[in-house]
Amino acid sequence: EWHARHRSIEILDEMMEAFRRSDVKEIGRCTTENFLGPVRSVIPWATNKYTETLIERVASRFGDRFWGFCMHGGASGGGMGFIFDPSAKEEAVQVLGDIMLQTKKEMEHCVPFAMDPCVFDYKVNDHGTVAQLCQRNDLPELLQHRSKSTESQLGSSTQLNLDALLVEQGFDMSAQEQIRSDLKDGRIGLAKNRLSQDCEVKDVIADDVIVVDEDSITDSMLAIGQEALRSGTVGVVTLAAGVGSRWTNGAGVVKALNPYCCIGGKHSSFLDVHLAKNRRVSAEVGMRI
């Protein structure tokens, strides 16, 4: 981390020099190196598998016309900047959205997304914050079209039959009525979601725990276990039934598939780590587990 922070200071100096020369390509190189190097080392959660997969795919798609990447948002894809050769801009605006959406569809079970990704094409605002009072007929054509479309949608939506709409969306009226009845009768609710007053909670004592470490396992025990592995009489079952909310700050994903850590520069999932351990032990005993 110490070396990463010093390299980041050096990159800043290089970037400032590139700004003086108006060298956008060099600026892109600096921001990319800073993100994939120092930032990732000092703040690991600033990136994730989705972000780095996007960088790899965009670089592969555009080659030398892709000049660099910079993270604008809080972290991990919240707001990203892709810097291109001006000759590639129009193509990039069209293609980038497809790459982001396709990658999101591939990863949405293991990486949390708040929405489908989208591309913003910004322009320099020379006027600051301004406002203009317009009459209906003075609105730009696009806004007039949207206004009429909105009125049409509102008009048609009020005519929809609510019961038919609920059925179409899969609403279970029987379950809803059962939950409402249970709440009103006090069978479920916050008051029921607690331990009873006569429940006694005790600390764990030594006899409740079996400690397994180098001191408690003898050579003979180890030999028995290794022989069982070699003979194929035992196997391994890995349980990962959660939603990985501790790794995603509350979002729900398939825990076993979430690439929650970066090892050797590669994002790995819970399943990757356990399969790697399994392969290592399999190699040690000479038997596929």
Side-chain angles (χ1 to χ4, degrees), residues 41-74:
S41 298
V42 178
I43 316 173
W45 54 89
T47 184
N48 60 15
K49 187 173 183 179
Y50 174 72
T51 301
E52 295 187 15
T53 299
L54 285 184
I55 298 173
E56 292 173 1
R57 292 183 176 181
V58 171
S60 175
R61 174 69 172 77
F62 288 90
D64 293 339
R65 297 183 299 162
F66 172 56
W67 286 358
F69 171 88
C70 55
M71 178 64 72
H72 296 314

PDB file of all heavy atoms in Angstrom, residues 41-74:
ATOM      1  N   SER A  41      -5.030  -1.198  -5.129  1.00  0.00           N
ATOM      2  CA  SER A  41      -4.231  -1.686  -4.006  1.00  0.00           C
ATOM      3  C   SER A  41      -4.658  -1.054  -2.687  1.00  0.00           C
ATOM      4  O   SER A  41      -4.743  -1.731  -1.657  1.00  0.00           O
ATOM      5  CB  SER A  41      -2.745  -1.391  -4.252  1.00  0.00           C
ATOM      6  OG  SER A  41      -2.277  -2.064  -5.402  1.00  0.00           O
ATOM      7  N   VAL A  42      -4.927   0.256  -2.713  1.00  0.00           N
ATOM      8  CA  VAL A  42      -5.258   0.976  -1.485  1.00  0.00           C
ATOM      9  C   VAL A  42      -6.732   0.807  -1.120  1.00  0.00           C
ATOM     10  O   VAL A  42      -7.082   0.671   0.059  1.00  0.00           O
ATOM     11  CB  VAL A  42      -4.909   2.477  -1.635  1.00  0.00           C
ATOM     12  CG1 VAL A  42      -5.292   3.246  -0.375  1.00  0.00           C
ATOM     13  CG2 VAL A  42      -3.418   2.652  -1.919  1.00  0.00           C
ATOM     14  N   ILE A  43      -7.612   0.811  -2.123  1.00  0.00           N
ATOM     15  CA  ILE A  43      -9.058   0.710  -1.887  1.00  0.00           C
ATOM     16  C   ILE A  43      -9.606  -0.445  -2.736  1.00  0.00           C
ATOM     17  O   ILE A  43     -10.144  -0.213  -3.832  1.00  0.00           O
ATOM     18  CB  ILE A  43      -9.795   2.024  -2.242  1.00  0.00           C
ATOM     19  CG1 ILE A  43      -9.027   3.234  -1.721  1.00  0.00           C
ATOM     20  CG2 ILE A  43     -11.213   2.011  -1.703  1.00  0.00           C
ATOM     21  CD1 ILE A  43      -9.593   4.553  -2.180  1.00  0.00           C
ATOM     22  N   PRO A  44      -9.478  -1.685  -2.294  1.00  0.00           N
ATOM     23  CA  PRO A  44      -9.892  -2.828  -3.111  1.00  0.00           C
ATOM     24  C   PRO A  44     -11.344  -2.775  -3.574  1.00  0.00           C
ATOM     25  O   PRO A  44     -11.678  -3.239  -4.669  1.00  0.00           O
ATOM     26  CB  PRO A  44      -9.635  -4.028  -2.185  1.00  0.00           C
ATOM     27  CG  PRO A  44      -8.608  -3.550  -1.214  1.00  0.00           C
ATOM     28  CD  PRO A  44      -8.898  -2.095  -1.001  1.00  0.00           C
ATOM     29  N   TRP A  45     -12.219  -2.224  -2.727  1.00  0.00           N
ATOM     30  CA  TRP A  45     -13.643  -2.211  -3.071  1.00  0.00           C
ATOM     31  C   TRP A  45     -14.000  -1.122  -4.092  1.00  0.00           C
ATOM     32  O   TRP A  45     -15.161  -0.962  -4.455  1.00  0.00           O
ATOM     33  CB  TRP A  45     -14.487  -2.043  -1.814  1.00  0.00           C
ATOM     34  CG  TRP A  45     -14.120  -0.845  -0.986  1.00  0.00           C
ATOM     35  CD1 TRP A  45     -14.620   0.428  -1.115  1.00  0.00           C
ATOM     36  CD2 TRP A  45     -13.172  -0.792   0.087  1.00  0.00           C
ATOM     37  NE1 TRP A  45     -14.046   1.261  -0.189  1.00  0.00           N
ATOM     38  CE2 TRP A  45     -13.146   0.547   0.561  1.00  0.00           C
ATOM     39  CE3 TRP A  45     -12.348  -1.731   0.692  1.00  0.00           C
ATOM     40  CZ2 TRP A  45     -12.317   0.941   1.615  1.00  0.00           C
ATOM     41  CZ3 TRP A  45     -11.535  -1.319   1.733  1.00  0.00           C
ATOM     42  CH2 TRP A  45     -11.527  -0.007   2.184  1.00  0.00           C
ATOM     43  N   ALA A  46     -12.999  -0.357  -4.547  1.00  0.00           N
ATOM     44  CA  ALA A  46     -13.266   0.632  -5.590  1.00  0.00           C
ATOM     45  C   ALA A  46     -13.503  -0.030  -6.939  1.00  0.00           C
ATOM     46  O   ALA A  46     -13.963   0.607  -7.882  1.00  0.00           O
ATOM     47  CB  ALA A  46     -12.102   1.610  -5.707  1.00  0.00           C
ATOM     48  N   THR A  47     -13.196  -1.306  -7.028  1.00  0.00           N
ATOM     49  CA  THR A  47     -13.400  -2.035  -8.273  1.00  0.00           C
ATOM     50  C   THR A  47     -14.081  -3.364  -7.985  1.00  0.00           C
ATOM     51  O   THR A  47     -14.212  -3.775  -6.844  1.00  0.00           O
ATOM     52  CB  THR A  47     -12.053  -2.279  -8.990  1.00  0.00           C
ATOM     53  OG1 THR A  47     -12.292  -2.913 -10.255  1.00  0.00           O
ATOM     54  CG2 THR A  47     -11.140  -3.161  -8.160  1.00  0.00           C
ATOM     55  N   ASN A  48     -14.540  -4.025  -9.032  1.00  0.00           N
ATOM     56  CA  ASN A  48     -15.085  -5.374  -8.901  1.00  0.00           C
ATOM     57  C   ASN A  48     -14.944  -6.079 -10.253  1.00  0.00           C
ATOM     58  O   ASN A  48     -14.400  -5.524 -11.207  1.00  0.00           O
ATOM     59  CB  ASN A  48     -16.549  -5.350  -8.429  1.00  0.00           C
ATOM     60  CG  ASN A  48     -17.459  -4.597  -9.384  1.00  0.00           C
ATOM     61  OD1 ASN A  48     -17.112  -4.310 -10.525  1.00  0.00           O
ATOM     62  ND2 ASN A  48     -18.650  -4.274  -8.915  1.00  0.00           N
ATOM     63  N   LYS A  49     -15.431  -7.285 -10.321  1.00  0.00           N
ATOM     64  CA  LYS A  49     -15.260  -8.073 -11.543  1.00  0.00           C
ATOM     65  C   LYS A  49     -15.991  -7.437 -12.719  1.00  0.00           C
ATOM     66  O   LYS A  49     -15.519  -7.481 -13.861  1.00  0.00           O
ATOM     67  CB  LYS A  49     -15.763  -9.505 -11.312  1.00  0.00           C
ATOM     68  CG  LYS A  49     -15.479 -10.429 -12.478  1.00  0.00           C
ATOM     69  CD  LYS A  49     -15.837 -11.868 -12.158  1.00  0.00           C
ATOM     70  CE  LYS A  49     -15.479 -12.791 -13.314  1.00  0.00           C
ATOM     71  NZ  LYS A  49     -15.791 -14.207 -13.006  1.00  0.00           N
ATOM     72  N   TYR A  50     -17.152  -6.845 -12.462  1.00  0.00           N
ATOM     73  CA  TYR A  50     -17.908  -6.210 -13.546  1.00  0.00           C
ATOM     74  C   TYR A  50     -17.106  -5.070 -14.163  1.00  0.00           C
ATOM     75  O   TYR A  50     -16.960  -4.986 -15.391  1.00  0.00           O
ATOM     76  CB  TYR A  50     -19.242  -5.691 -13.004  1.00  0.00           C
ATOM     77  CG  TYR A  50     -20.036  -4.890 -14.009  1.00  0.00           C
ATOM     78  CD1 TYR A  50     -20.650  -5.516 -15.086  1.00  0.00           C
ATOM     79  CD2 TYR A  50     -20.163  -3.511 -13.892  1.00  0.00           C
ATOM     80  CE1 TYR A  50     -21.376  -4.792 -16.018  1.00  0.00           C
ATOM     81  CE2 TYR A  50     -20.884  -2.778 -14.817  1.00  0.00           C
ATOM     82  CZ  TYR A  50     -21.491  -3.428 -15.878  1.00  0.00           C
ATOM     83  OH  TYR A  50     -22.196  -2.703 -16.796  1.00  0.00           O
ATOM     84  N   THR A  51     -16.593  -4.182 -13.324  1.00  0.00           N
ATOM     85  CA  THR A  51     -15.840  -3.032 -13.817  1.00  0.00           C
ATOM     86  C   THR A  51     -14.630  -3.470 -14.638  1.00  0.00           C
ATOM     87  O   THR A  51     -14.389  -2.974 -15.743  1.00  0.00           O
ATOM     88  CB  THR A  51     -15.381  -2.152 -12.642  1.00  0.00           C
ATOM     89  OG1 THR A  51     -16.525  -1.721 -11.908  1.00  0.00           O
ATOM     90  CG2 THR A  51     -14.621  -0.937 -13.141  1.00  0.00           C
ATOM     91  N   GLU A  52     -13.865  -4.414 -14.108  1.00  0.00           N
ATOM     92  CA  GLU A  52     -12.640  -4.815 -14.798  1.00  0.00           C
ATOM     93  C   GLU A  52     -12.931  -5.633 -16.052  1.00  0.00           C
ATOM     94  O   GLU A  52     -12.180  -5.582 -17.022  1.00  0.00           O
ATOM     95  CB  GLU A  52     -11.741  -5.579 -13.823  1.00  0.00           C
ATOM     96  CG  GLU A  52     -11.260  -4.682 -12.692  1.00  0.00           C
ATOM     97  CD  GLU A  52     -10.225  -5.334 -11.794  1.00  0.00           C
ATOM     98  OE1 GLU A  52      -9.656  -6.374 -12.197  1.00  0.00           O
ATOM     99  OE2 GLU A  52      -9.982  -4.813 -10.694  1.00  0.00           O
ATOM    100  N   THR A  53     -14.043  -6.365 -16.056  1.00  0.00           N
ATOM    101  CA  THR A  53     -14.443  -7.075 -17.270  1.00  0.00           C
ATOM    102  C   THR A  53     -14.818  -6.088 -18.368  1.00  0.00           C
ATOM    103  O   THR A  53     -14.493  -6.289 -19.543  1.00  0.00           O
ATOM    104  CB  THR A  53     -15.622  -8.018 -16.985  1.00  0.00           C
ATOM    105  OG1 THR A  53     -15.234  -8.989 -16.007  1.00  0.00           O
ATOM    106  CG2 THR A  53     -16.052  -8.758 -18.235  1.00  0.00           C
ATOM    107  N   LEU A  54     -15.501  -5.001 -17.990  1.00  0.00           N
ATOM    108  CA  LEU A  54     -15.834  -3.967 -18.973  1.00  0.00           C
ATOM    109  C   LEU A  54     -14.568  -3.377 -19.589  1.00  0.00           C
ATOM    110  O   LEU A  54     -14.485  -3.208 -20.816  1.00  0.00           O
ATOM    111  CB  LEU A  54     -16.642  -2.846 -18.310  1.00  0.00           C
ATOM    112  CG  LEU A  54     -18.104  -3.119 -17.972  1.00  0.00           C
ATOM    113  CD1 LEU A  54     -18.745  -1.857 -17.407  1.00  0.00           C
ATOM    114  CD2 LEU A  54     -18.867  -3.589 -19.199  1.00  0.00           C
ATOM    115  N   ILE A  55     -13.596  -3.053 -18.753  1.00  0.00           N
ATOM    116  CA  ILE A  55     -12.349  -2.473 -19.262  1.00  0.00           C
ATOM    117  C   ILE A  55     -11.680  -3.429 -20.242  1.00  0.00           C
ATOM    118  O   ILE A  55     -11.230  -3.030 -21.327  1.00  0.00           O
ATOM    119  CB  ILE A  55     -11.396  -2.138 -18.095  1.00  0.00           C
ATOM    120  CG1 ILE A  55     -12.032  -1.089 -17.179  1.00  0.00           C
ATOM    121  CG2 ILE A  55     -10.057  -1.644 -18.618  1.00  0.00           C
ATOM    122  CD1 ILE A  55     -11.241  -0.819 -15.914  1.00  0.00           C
ATOM    123  N   GLU A  56     -11.626  -4.708 -19.893  1.00  0.00           N
ATOM    124  CA  GLU A  56     -11.005  -5.705 -20.760  1.00  0.00           C
ATOM    125  C   GLU A  56     -11.745  -5.819 -22.092  1.00  0.00           C
ATOM    126  O   GLU A  56     -11.116  -5.872 -23.160  1.00  0.00           O
ATOM    127  CB  GLU A  56     -10.994  -7.067 -20.058  1.00  0.00           C
ATOM    128  CG  GLU A  56     -10.071  -7.138 -18.854  1.00  0.00           C
ATOM    129  CD  GLU A  56     -10.224  -8.458 -18.105  1.00  0.00           C
ATOM    130  OE1 GLU A  56     -11.035  -9.293 -18.552  1.00  0.00           O
ATOM    131  OE2 GLU A  56      -9.535  -8.643 -17.088  1.00  0.00           O
ATOM    132  N   ARG A  57     -13.071  -5.843 -22.062  1.00  0.00           N
ATOM    133  CA  ARG A  57     -13.848  -6.030 -23.286  1.00  0.00           C
ATOM    134  C   ARG A  57     -13.797  -4.798 -24.186  1.00  0.00           C
ATOM    135  O   ARG A  57     -13.742  -4.920 -25.413  1.00  0.00           O
ATOM    136  CB  ARG A  57     -15.293  -6.391 -22.931  1.00  0.00           C
ATOM    137  CG  ARG A  57     -15.398  -7.766 -22.296  1.00  0.00           C
ATOM    138  CD  ARG A  57     -16.830  -8.174 -21.996  1.00  0.00           C
ATOM    139  NE  ARG A  57     -16.867  -9.538 -21.477  1.00  0.00           N
ATOM    140  CZ  ARG A  57     -17.984 -10.170 -21.150  1.00  0.00           C
ATOM    141  NH1 ARG A  57     -19.173  -9.572 -21.274  1.00  0.00           N
ATOM    142  NH2 ARG A  57     -17.924 -11.419 -20.702  1.00  0.00           N
ATOM    143  N   VAL A  58     -13.819  -3.625 -23.564  1.00  0.00           N
ATOM    144  CA  VAL A  58     -13.730  -2.400 -24.367  1.00  0.00           C
ATOM    145  C   VAL A  58     -12.341  -2.291 -25.000  1.00  0.00           C
ATOM    146  O   VAL A  58     -12.209  -1.935 -26.174  1.00  0.00           O
ATOM    147  CB  VAL A  58     -14.033  -1.163 -23.497  1.00  0.00           C
ATOM    148  CG1 VAL A  58     -13.721   0.121 -24.257  1.00  0.00           C
ATOM    149  CG2 VAL A  58     -15.493  -1.169 -23.059  1.00  0.00           C
ATOM    150  N   ALA A  59     -11.305  -2.614 -24.233  1.00  0.00           N
ATOM    151  CA  ALA A  59      -9.948  -2.571 -24.780  1.00  0.00           C
ATOM    152  C   ALA A  59      -9.786  -3.562 -25.921  1.00  0.00           C
ATOM    153  O   ALA A  59      -9.141  -3.266 -26.944  1.00  0.00           O
ATOM    154  CB  ALA A  59      -8.938  -2.868 -23.670  1.00  0.00           C
ATOM    155  N   SER A  60     -10.387  -4.745 -25.779  1.00  0.00           N
ATOM    156  CA  SER A  60     -10.307  -5.751 -26.837  1.00  0.00           C
ATOM    157  C   SER A  60     -11.080  -5.312 -28.078  1.00  0.00           C
ATOM    158  O   SER A  60     -10.647  -5.545 -29.212  1.00  0.00           O
ATOM    159  CB  SER A  60     -10.858  -7.079 -26.321  1.00  0.00           C
ATOM    160  OG  SER A  60     -10.914  -8.049 -27.341  1.00  0.00           O
ATOM    161  N   ARG A  61     -12.219  -4.649 -27.869  1.00  0.00           N
ATOM    162  CA  ARG A  61     -13.079  -4.236 -28.999  1.00  0.00           C
ATOM    163  C   ARG A  61     -12.474  -3.085 -29.788  1.00  0.00           C
ATOM    164  O   ARG A  61     -12.539  -3.060 -31.028  1.00  0.00           O
ATOM    165  CB  ARG A  61     -14.451  -3.837 -28.454  1.00  0.00           C
ATOM    166  CG  ARG A  61     -15.411  -3.245 -29.477  1.00  0.00           C
ATOM    167  CD  ARG A  61     -15.853  -4.305 -30.473  1.00  0.00           C
ATOM    168  NE  ARG A  61     -16.905  -3.815 -31.329  1.00  0.00           N
ATOM    169  CZ  ARG A  61     -16.724  -2.986 -32.367  1.00  0.00           C
ATOM    170  NH1 ARG A  61     -15.509  -2.573 -32.655  1.00  0.00           N
ATOM    171  NH2 ARG A  61     -17.750  -2.597 -33.086  1.00  0.00           N
ATOM    172  N   PHE A  62     -11.850  -2.125 -29.103  1.00  0.00           N
ATOM    173  CA  PHE A  62     -11.394  -0.910 -29.778  1.00  0.00           C
ATOM    174  C   PHE A  62      -9.876  -0.837 -29.974  1.00  0.00           C
ATOM    175  O   PHE A  62      -9.400   0.012 -30.720  1.00  0.00           O
ATOM    176  CB  PHE A  62     -11.872   0.322 -29.005  1.00  0.00           C
ATOM    177  CG  PHE A  62     -13.343   0.572 -29.134  1.00  0.00           C
ATOM    178  CD1 PHE A  62     -14.233   0.014 -28.229  1.00  0.00           C
ATOM    179  CD2 PHE A  62     -13.851   1.353 -30.169  1.00  0.00           C
ATOM    180  CE1 PHE A  62     -15.596   0.230 -28.342  1.00  0.00           C
ATOM    181  CE2 PHE A  62     -15.214   1.575 -30.288  1.00  0.00           C
ATOM    182  CZ  PHE A  62     -16.084   1.006 -29.378  1.00  0.00           C
ATOM    183  N   GLY A  63      -9.128  -1.688 -29.314  1.00  0.00           N
ATOM    184  CA  GLY A  63      -7.680  -1.701 -29.507  1.00  0.00           C
ATOM    185  C   GLY A  63      -7.029  -0.366 -29.190  1.00  0.00           C
ATOM    186  O   GLY A  63      -7.288   0.237 -28.149  1.00  0.00           O
ATOM    187  N   ASP A  64      -6.202   0.124 -30.118  1.00  0.00           N
ATOM    188  CA  ASP A  64      -5.468   1.374 -29.903  1.00  0.00           C
ATOM    189  C   ASP A  64      -6.383   2.593 -29.839  1.00  0.00           C
ATOM    190  O   ASP A  64      -5.958   3.668 -29.393  1.00  0.00           O
ATOM    191  CB  ASP A  64      -4.433   1.579 -31.018  1.00  0.00           C
ATOM    192  CG  ASP A  64      -3.322   0.544 -30.969  1.00  0.00           C
ATOM    193  OD1 ASP A  64      -3.133  -0.047 -29.895  1.00  0.00           O
ATOM    194  OD2 ASP A  64      -2.658   0.323 -32.007  1.00  0.00           O
ATOM    195  N   ARG A  65      -7.619   2.445 -30.272  1.00  0.00           N
ATOM    196  CA  ARG A  65      -8.549   3.581 -30.241  1.00  0.00           C
ATOM    197  C   ARG A  65      -9.149   3.800 -28.853  1.00  0.00           C
ATOM    198  O   ARG A  65      -9.790   4.820 -28.618  1.00  0.00           O
ATOM    199  CB  ARG A  65      -9.654   3.386 -31.272  1.00  0.00           C
ATOM    200  CG  ARG A  65      -9.160   3.342 -32.714  1.00  0.00           C
ATOM    201  CD  ARG A  65     -10.322   3.223 -33.682  1.00  0.00           C
ATOM    202  NE  ARG A  65     -11.072   1.985 -33.443  1.00  0.00           N
ATOM    203  CZ  ARG A  65     -12.308   1.777 -33.885  1.00  0.00           C
ATOM    204  NH1 ARG A  65     -12.951   2.722 -34.564  1.00  0.00           N
ATOM    205  NH2 ARG A  65     -12.920   0.628 -33.640  1.00  0.00           N
ATOM    206  N   PHE A  66      -8.960   2.846 -27.970  1.00  0.00           N
ATOM    207  CA  PHE A  66      -9.367   3.008 -26.571  1.00  0.00           C
ATOM    208  C   PHE A  66      -8.178   3.584 -25.815  1.00  0.00           C
ATOM    209  O   PHE A  66      -7.132   2.955 -25.702  1.00  0.00           O
ATOM    210  CB  PHE A  66      -9.788   1.657 -25.981  1.00  0.00           C
ATOM    211  CG  PHE A  66     -10.035   1.703 -24.498  1.00  0.00           C
ATOM    212  CD1 PHE A  66     -10.951   2.587 -23.945  1.00  0.00           C
ATOM    213  CD2 PHE A  66      -9.348   0.841 -23.642  1.00  0.00           C
ATOM    214  CE1 PHE A  66     -11.178   2.617 -22.576  1.00  0.00           C
ATOM    215  CE2 PHE A  66      -9.561   0.860 -22.278  1.00  0.00           C
ATOM    216  CZ  PHE A  66     -10.482   1.756 -21.746  1.00  0.00           C
ATOM    217  N   TRP A  67      -8.346   4.785 -25.284  1.00  0.00           N
ATOM    218  CA  TRP A  67      -7.230   5.499 -24.675  1.00  0.00           C
ATOM    219  C   TRP A  67      -7.154   5.352 -23.161  1.00  0.00           C
ATOM    220  O   TRP A  67      -6.101   5.580 -22.585  1.00  0.00           O
ATOM    221  CB  TRP A  67      -7.301   6.981 -25.044  1.00  0.00           C
ATOM    222  CG  TRP A  67      -6.898   7.252 -26.460  1.00  0.00           C
ATOM    223  CD1 TRP A  67      -6.468   6.338 -27.381  1.00  0.00           C
ATOM    224  CD2 TRP A  67      -6.885   8.512 -27.110  1.00  0.00           C
ATOM    225  NE1 TRP A  67      -6.184   6.957 -28.574  1.00  0.00           N
ATOM    226  CE2 TRP A  67      -6.430   8.309 -28.436  1.00  0.00           C
ATOM    227  CE3 TRP A  67      -7.208   9.811 -26.720  1.00  0.00           C
ATOM    228  CZ2 TRP A  67      -6.299   9.335 -29.361  1.00  0.00           C
ATOM    229  CZ3 TRP A  67      -7.084  10.854 -27.631  1.00  0.00           C
ATOM    230  CH2 TRP A  67      -6.623  10.613 -28.945  1.00  0.00           C
ATOM    231  N   GLY A  68      -8.242   5.023 -22.506  1.00  0.00           N
ATOM    232  CA  GLY A  68      -8.136   4.894 -21.059  1.00  0.00           C
ATOM    233  C   GLY A  68      -9.466   4.851 -20.345  1.00  0.00           C
ATOM    234  O   GLY A  68     -10.542   5.005 -20.932  1.00  0.00           O
ATOM    235  N   PHE A  69      -9.363   4.641 -19.030  1.00  0.00           N
ATOM    236  CA  PHE A  69     -10.529   4.497 -18.153  1.00  0.00           C
ATOM    237  C   PHE A  69     -10.314   5.322 -16.894  1.00  0.00           C
ATOM    238  O   PHE A  69      -9.187   5.440 -16.396  1.00  0.00           O
ATOM    239  CB  PHE A  69     -10.714   3.026 -17.771  1.00  0.00           C
ATOM    240  CG  PHE A  69     -11.754   2.804 -16.700  1.00  0.00           C
ATOM    241  CD1 PHE A  69     -13.081   2.634 -17.037  1.00  0.00           C
ATOM    242  CD2 PHE A  69     -11.399   2.765 -15.352  1.00  0.00           C
ATOM    243  CE1 PHE A  69     -14.044   2.435 -16.053  1.00  0.00           C
ATOM    244  CE2 PHE A  69     -12.348   2.567 -14.369  1.00  0.00           C
ATOM    245  CZ  PHE A  69     -13.677   2.397 -14.717  1.00  0.00           C
ATOM    246  N   CYS A  70     -11.399   5.882 -16.369  1.00  0.00           N
ATOM    247  CA  CYS A  70     -11.330   6.543 -15.059  1.00  0.00           C
ATOM    248  C   CYS A  70     -12.652   6.330 -14.331  1.00  0.00           C
ATOM    249  O   CYS A  70     -13.711   6.310 -14.940  1.00  0.00           O
ATOM    250  CB  CYS A  70     -11.019   8.037 -15.192  1.00  0.00           C
ATOM    251  SG  CYS A  70     -12.146   8.964 -16.240  1.00  0.00           S
ATOM    252  N   MET A  71     -12.554   6.146 -13.012  1.00  0.00           N
ATOM    253  CA  MET A  71     -13.740   5.927 -12.192  1.00  0.00           C
ATOM    254  C   MET A  71     -14.247   7.258 -11.662  1.00  0.00           C
ATOM    255  O   MET A  71     -13.531   7.974 -10.969  1.00  0.00           O
ATOM    256  CB  MET A  71     -13.400   4.987 -11.029  1.00  0.00           C
ATOM    257  CG  MET A  71     -14.563   4.733 -10.089  1.00  0.00           C
ATOM    258  SD  MET A  71     -15.945   3.877 -10.875  1.00  0.00           S
ATOM    259  CE  MET A  71     -15.271   2.228 -11.055  1.00  0.00           C
ATOM    260  N   HIS A  72     -15.479   7.608 -12.006  1.00  0.00           N
ATOM    261  CA  HIS A  72     -16.061   8.882 -11.574  1.00  0.00           C
ATOM    262  C   HIS A  72     -16.951   8.723 -10.347  1.00  0.00           C
ATOM    263  O   HIS A  72     -17.111   9.646  -9.558  1.00  0.00           O
ATOM    264  CB  HIS A  72     -16.895   9.501 -12.701  1.00  0.00           C
ATOM    265  CG  HIS A  72     -16.092   9.875 -13.892  1.00  0.00           C
ATOM    266  ND1 HIS A  72     -14.906  10.556 -13.804  1.00  0.00           N
ATOM    267  CD2 HIS A  72     -16.307   9.672 -15.222  1.00  0.00           C
ATOM    268  CE1 HIS A  72     -14.419  10.775 -15.013  1.00  0.00           C
ATOM    269  NE2 HIS A  72     -15.241  10.229 -15.890  1.00  0.00           N
ATOM    270  N   GLY A  73     -17.581   7.559 -10.202  1.00  0.00           N
ATOM    271  CA  GLY A  73     -18.539   7.376  -9.117  1.00  0.00           C
ATOM    272  C   GLY A  73     -17.862   6.986  -7.818  1.00  0.00           C
ATOM    273  O   GLY A  73     -16.634   7.043  -7.680  1.00  0.00           O
ATOM    274  N   GLY A  74     -18.685   6.577  -6.849  1.00  0.00           N
ATOM    275  CA  GLY A  74     -18.140   6.203  -5.555  1.00  0.00           C
ATOM    276  C   GLY A  74     -17.225   5.007  -5.646  1.00  0.00           C
ATOM    277  O   GLY A  74     -16.132   5.000  -5.105  1.00  0.00           O
TER     278      GLY A  74
END
